[in-house]
Amino acid sequence: MKRYLFIVLLAISFSVQAQSNTGNYKYIIVPEKFSFLKQVNRYGLNTLIKTFFEEKGFTVYFDNAEIPQEIATDRCKALAADLQENNTMFVTNVTLLLKDCRGAVVMKSKPGKSREKEYETSYNLALKDALTSFNDFKYVAGNPSVVSNQAPTDANAEVKTTPLPVNQPVAAKTEAQEALLYAQPISNGYQLIDATPKIVMTLLKTSVEDCYISNKDNTNGIVLKKNGNWFFEYYKNNVLVSEKLSIKF
């Protein structure tokens, strides 16, 4: 417990910069050619991305196609897809990004990988692997938001607090339990995505198993696992607050 409290104090002094989302989106723009490839729709990757998100309910356009006036006059109403390559000698490795009109990354897939030798097969398998990061998201017509196809968590669940030594104040967080968050790997931990989708929290790895330095709404603390449940713990007015989280890794 003392070790966890030490990490909390460390987290308070360490600022984690979280990415933001400009809102909810119905449209996605896919480039006709990615920067690391020389031909339009090489290996059918651009079409694969367009088809994938269309099946999720989004309205998707290639960047060379005629687009509706709604987004022609305001590109901030659409997300832009980008594919990044980080291949090694024997592995095809691609990552799919969804960016807002300012170029900020709203969502980032896990690295999709394939060891197939034939280029077209390898790139397609790697991209399909990366797209699994977006399996739980879809756009519902008539509702300008992206929703999860997972069952919602119990909104009336009570948030538990952490047992502390005598004379240590603790605040019981009585607000509704957080909605389900999806953990997407980043280089030094995870980013937690809600069903909007937007990045809610960033988790940075520590030397303690199932314990991460974290930040939420400019509040620094730790996310740790206790008795099979995840909690976000931080200090507010010298009182330790513990919020229960629902995370899908």
Side-chain angles (χ1 to χ4, degrees), residues 109-126:
S109 77
K110 69 175 184 178
K113 299 179 180 181
S114 172
R115 293 181 177 273
E116 291 290 330
K117 295 181 180 180
E118 201 277 321
Y119 282 146
E120 182 169 359
T121 301
S122 187
Y123 274 103
N124 271 267
L125 290 177

Side-chain angles (χ1 to χ4, degrees), residues 80-240:
D82 186 24
L83 195 64
Q84 295 183 345
E85 178 191 52
N86 187 27
N87 291 350
T88 62
M89 184 176 295
F90 301 107
V91 179
T92 300
N93 186 333
V94 297
T95 301
L96 180 64
L97 308 177
L98 293 180
K99 300 179 180 180
D100 64 19
C101 61
R102 297 174 181 83
V105 177
V106 174
M107 292 193 69
K108 181 180 180 179
S109 77
K110 69 175 184 178
K113 299 179 180 181
S114 172
R115 293 181 177 273
E116 291 290 330
K117 295 181 180 180
E118 201 277 321
Y119 282 146
E120 182 169 359
T121 301
S122 187
Y123 274 103
N124 271 267
L125 290 177
L127 177 55
K128 289 178 181 178
D129 184 28
L131 287 171
T132 60
S133 297
F134 301 94
N135 281 346
D136 292 321
F137 296 98
K138 63 181 180 179
Y139 180 84
V140 178
N143 182 7
S145 64
V146 182
V147 300
S148 167
N149 58 16
Q150 299 291 324
T153 57
D154 183 2
N156 296 318
E158 182 179 355
V159 178
K160 299 179 181 179
T161 59
T162 308
L164 295 172
V166 178
N167 299 327
Q168 172 64 53
V170 61
K173 190 75 172 180
T174 57
E175 297 176 359
Q177 179 180 333
E178 293 284 342
L180 183 61
L181 301 175
Y182 300 89
Q184 294 187 334
I186 55 178
S187 60
N188 52 358
Y190 298 91
Q191 59 187 14
L192 299 186
I193 308 294
D194 67 10
T196 307
K198 72 175 181 180
I199 299 173
V200 177
M201 307 177 71
T202 302
L203 309 185
L204 299 182
K205 295 178 181 178
T206 71
S207 59
V208 180
E209 185 178 2
D210 292 334
C211 184
Y212 301 88
I213 296 173
S214 185
N215 174 282
K216 179 184 178 184
D217 298 330
N218 295 320
T219 298
N220 295 312
I222 63 170
V223 169
L224 71 161
K225 193 173 187 179
K226 298 183 296 183
N227 300 322
N229 294 312
W230 290 97
F231 294 86
F232 175 48
E233 297 190 345
Y234 57 93
Y235 278 94
K236 184 176 182 180
N237 300 325
N238 294 322
V239 176
L240 181 62

